[in-house]
Amino acid sequence: MELKFTNPQTELVYQDLKSRYNKATLTKKELANEFTVSTSTIDLYISKGIGIPNYKKLGTAKNAKVVFNIIDVAEYLSQTIKTA
């Protein structure tokens, strides 16, 4: 399946993430690394529902694993990062 991106910046970010992580999703720790914040900050963003790309919670427990699809991360980053 070939992905079609409407924004060329999104495709560049996606290709960068895909080449560095070589998988379809990122963990909270990996996302925190991309945002240069702590995992606690990612938890705060999740609890407030702001400043975060779409995510999936794998389970119903309070501490269930959370993953972020790299396509969603690429879209989020390409919309929030300003380039020269």
Side-chain angles (χ1 to χ4, degrees), residues 4 6 9 13 18 21 25-26 32 36 38 41 43-45 48 55 57-59 62 66 70 72 79 81 84:
K4 301 284 185 200
T6 55
Q9 184 68 23
V13 174
K18 188 72 172 168
Y21 293 100
T25 61
L26 300 181
T36 61
S38 69
T41 300
D43 288 333
L44 179 65
Y45 291 165
K48 291 190 175 211
Y55 61 91
K57 191 170 180 182
L58 307 178
K62 183 177 181 184
V66 172
I70 65 167
D72 293 333
Q79 292 170 7
I81 295 175

Side-chain angles (χ1 to χ4, degrees), residues 26-65:
L26 300 181
T27 64
K28 283 195 289 188
K29 184 176 182 179
E30 291 165 338
L31 186 70
N33 182 55
E34 291 302 317
F35 283 17
T36 61
V37 298
S38 69
T39 54
S40 297
T41 300
I42 298 297
D43 288 333
L44 179 65
Y45 291 165
I46 290 170
S47 71
K48 291 190 175 211
I50 57 168
I52 199 97
N54 293 330
Y55 61 91
K56 303 264 187 294
K57 191 170 180 182
L58 307 178
T60 57
K62 183 177 181 184
N63 63 344
K65 184 175 181 174

